Amino acid sequence: MATLGFIEYKDASAEVRAVYDDIMATRKTDWINNFWKALAHDPATLRRTWASIKKIMAPGALDATTKEMVYLAISATNQCGYCIASHTAAARKAGMTDEMFAELMAVVGMANETNRLASGYQVEIDEKFLIR
Amino acid sequence: MATLGFIEYKDASAEVRAVYDDIMATRKTDWINNFWKALAHDPATLRRTWASIKKIMAPGALDATTKEMVYLAISATNQCGYCIASHTAAARKAGMTDEMFAELMAVVGMANETNRLASGYQVEIDEKFLIR
Amino acid sequence: MATLGFIEYKDASAEVRAVYDDIMATRKTDWINNFWKALAHDPATLRRTWASIKKIMAPGALDATTKEMVYLAISATNQCGYCIASHTAAARKAGMTDEMFAELMAVVGMANETNRLASGYQVEIDEKFLIR
Amino acid sequence: MATLGFIEYKDASAEVRAVYDDIMATRKTDWINNFWKALAHDPATLRRTWASIKKIMAPGALDATTKEMVYLAISATNQCGYCIASHTAAARKAGMTDEMFAELMAVVGMANETNRLASGYQVEIDEKFLIR
Amino acid sequence: MATLGFIEYKDASAEVRAVYDDIMATRKTDWINNFWKALAHDPATLRRTWASIKKIMAPGALDATTKEMVYLAISATNQCGYCIASHTAAARKAGMTDEMFAELMAVVGMANETNRLASGYQVEIDEKFLIR
Amino acid sequence: MATLGFIEYKDASAEVRAVYDDIMATRKTDWINNFWKALAHDPATLRRTWASIKKIMAPGALDATTKEMVYLAISATNQCGYCIASHTAAARKAGMTDEMFAELMAVVGMANETNRLASGYQVEIDEKFLIR
């Protein structure tokens, strides 16, 4: 399940419940996914991580769909199985279609390829790209 | 500079020049960045990589700005110095503002953090996220 | 199970048994975990890897608990499922409490986040941090 | 220098100065390293990241030296040049000796090696390590 | 199974069938592995990826066995479970023996170890290794 | 230069000199590259790492050129600048031509691309690839 197990709502402290309530209200759902139930063993990390996610993933200069797709792209790059599964679901909920998913993955694959070609060929950064 | 050196336009074969010409025409610039000049030692890989990039990065279900930002997000995740520099420039050219950059980096940081929390806590994938 | 299968004690050569015996004696257990039983198909690598681990993980300037927690932190960063499971067990056996685990994971998450912020923002190394 | 440049104390807004002041007070130094001066272009991320670091890196179930060494171990694993330089300095300031550094690196190297042996040999997780 | 499911031969479009046919003819097999059946939801990526793989993995200055072993080495480094399983099978089919596999994994482990020792110790590149 | 500096031959202890001598004799060179001179601050790690490298990189079921190319492929995947530079030199010395290098990099790029397509699409391992 998870290293320290899961903390279900009914067994949670008031502090943890407050975070769970905010997650459900923000996401307009009636359940909590395993990630948060595992993290709940460390209420300080639970609260801090959720507060950060809530703030960072809210629409701003980038819309919510773009942000979720970036999250998924990184999770695929890092080979995190849980994160790929949960953020695929989140990105879909935020509006990612099958076509958008397919294009996203094509970019993910290509970026991971050329990242290694650039380093493997020891390509020096162009003068024009340098920041001074 | 680069493992095999750079091939400048004036020294390039007709095959390589054709790719260089297409890169400049597609990107509406009059210069070729080092990545391609390093790859030109392997014309087959040069041609294939450029053809893939041209196709994948063209606007489709995702716009060009989003694609360039995903590319940058992955390059930052992979710690590829050349790629971060070149794709920061490319994303800016495609319309990424300072605000968009800052939000993008916040998502990149957060995704890399929670990817490790999820794996470190050995969180099992939720039934609802499983694909059957 | 494993690419080349597992070699059980009863089926092992004298050379492999000697390593197994030393693992069990050093760890004060009566069983061998799968990692070693898979590696036993390559006795030279088995012997060398165990000799290195035994030496490196022994208490020295760092105590055994700290070393096991660093091992776990890296395994979580690398998304190695087997290693996370086995080194969580090893770290607990070496004295890691739930509180220590939770703090460790918080550091792991934060380091993975700021590693990407530093590279994504292309932050130059401070003069004071440079080694000359 | 950095993608968006650095924001020096004299040019910083009151909001950014408050974070800088807290960094200097907490660390008992009179200067701010480049990471924070780059992040200052995004005051919300600056404040949030510093607040998280301050909380996470404070002594708790793990002491400050251990936490800084874990941070360095992850930075070396991720190949983040800036982070390796800054956290080597931080770990030394927190008490890491040359002997501790050498032992830490030996563990980092070994963990990165066996992480790949475990996955490359497709080693199945032992029953005893499974969490139920 | 896969995010968008699998497309079996009988349900595939003419365009997808053409790729499937070429995969089976090139590999002298009568089945298609899941990777391609997942990718088939994006026919452009399916066709491009297969064309690239077919070209890159064909014997040239490097023989097919060496190429498959490099592919496996990278998959183990990246912790990609699917890729480790499929490229172990492919490398065996291309002639990798148990002895070659064991030696390959030993190199993979050692390279991942010294990669981190080099970066962790902040080793400067030798003059003789620099490319000018 | 390096975190703990370099130890030159003339300043080295007898124990370190013995390793240096063996490196030069084995490689038929009259100089020691920076990696070893940095590691020499930890004679136990220096001796152990060299002994492992010497054994692992010697020709066996795989020839020396193949092993050096695998080492380079992993270093490019991991974005280790020092390792890419030193193992490009080592692979060339072992017989890698420009054509072999170019083909190697093409495989490295492709493997890193499809590793992420496989995980991003959440492709399940085929029955035929499973080890039982």
Side-chain angles (χ1 to χ4, degrees), chain D residues 95-112:
Chain D
M96 180 182 72
T97 63
D98 286 1
E99 288 67 33
M100 292 161 76
F101 169 76
E103 290 196 14
L104 181 68
M105 285 303 117
V107 177
V108 167
M110 186 57 43
N112 274 289

Side-chain angles (χ1 to χ4, degrees), chain A residues 29-42:
Chain A
T29 59
D30 62 354
W31 69 294
I32 297 293
N33 58 303
N34 288 343
F35 178 73
W36 305 108
K37 294 193 291 189
L39 224 52
H41 285 276
D42 180 359

Side-chain angles (χ1 to χ4, degrees), chain E residues 6-24 32 35-47 50:
Chain E
F6 295 132
I7 294 184
E8 300 295 339
Y9 191 90
K10 65 178 170 52
D11 306 317
S13 66
E15 182 184 10
V16 166
R17 279 191 186 185
V19 177
Y20 284 6
D21 286 338
D22 194 40
I23 292 174
M24 290 189 287
I32 298 293
F35 178 73
W36 305 108
K37 294 194 290 189
L39 223 52
H41 285 276
D42 180 0
T45 296
L46 173 73
R47 206 175 44 231
W50 167 246

Side-chain angles (χ1 to χ4, degrees), chain A residues 1-3 33-34 48 61-62 67 71 75 78 82 103 110 112-116 121-122 124 126, chain B residues 1-3 33-34 48 61-62 67 71 75 78 82 103 110 112-116 121-122 124 126:
Chain A
M1 310 244 289
T3 302
N33 58 303
N34 288 343
R48 179 179 55 76
L62 303 180
K67 288 181 171 183
Y71 222 112
S75 302
N78 285 335
Y82 183 85
E103 290 196 14
M110 186 57 44
N112 274 289
E113 177 174 16
T114 60
N115 276 197
R116 272 65 183 208
Y121 272 85
Q122 301 188 72
E124 193 182 33
D126 303 73
Chain B
M1 311 244 288
T3 301
N33 58 303
N34 288 344
R48 179 181 55 75
L62 303 180
K67 288 180 171 183
Y71 223 110
S75 301
N78 285 335
Y82 184 85
E103 290 196 14
M110 187 56 45
N112 274 290
E113 178 173 16
T114 59
N115 276 198
R116 274 64 183 209
Y121 272 85
Q122 301 188 70
E124 192 182 34
D126 304 74

Side-chain angles (χ1 to χ4, degrees), chain C residues 8 21 25 42 76 82 92 94 96 104-105 112 124 126 131:
Chain C
E8 300 295 338
D21 285 338
D42 180 0
Y82 184 84
R92 282 181 178 286
M96 180 183 70
L104 180 68
M105 286 301 117
N112 274 288
E124 192 181 36
D126 303 74
I131 294 156

Side-chain angles (χ1 to χ4, degrees), chain F residues 12 29 41 47 56 65 82-83 91 98:
Chain F
T29 59
H41 285 276
R47 206 175 43 232
I56 290 171
T65 321
Y82 184 85
C83 316
D98 286 1

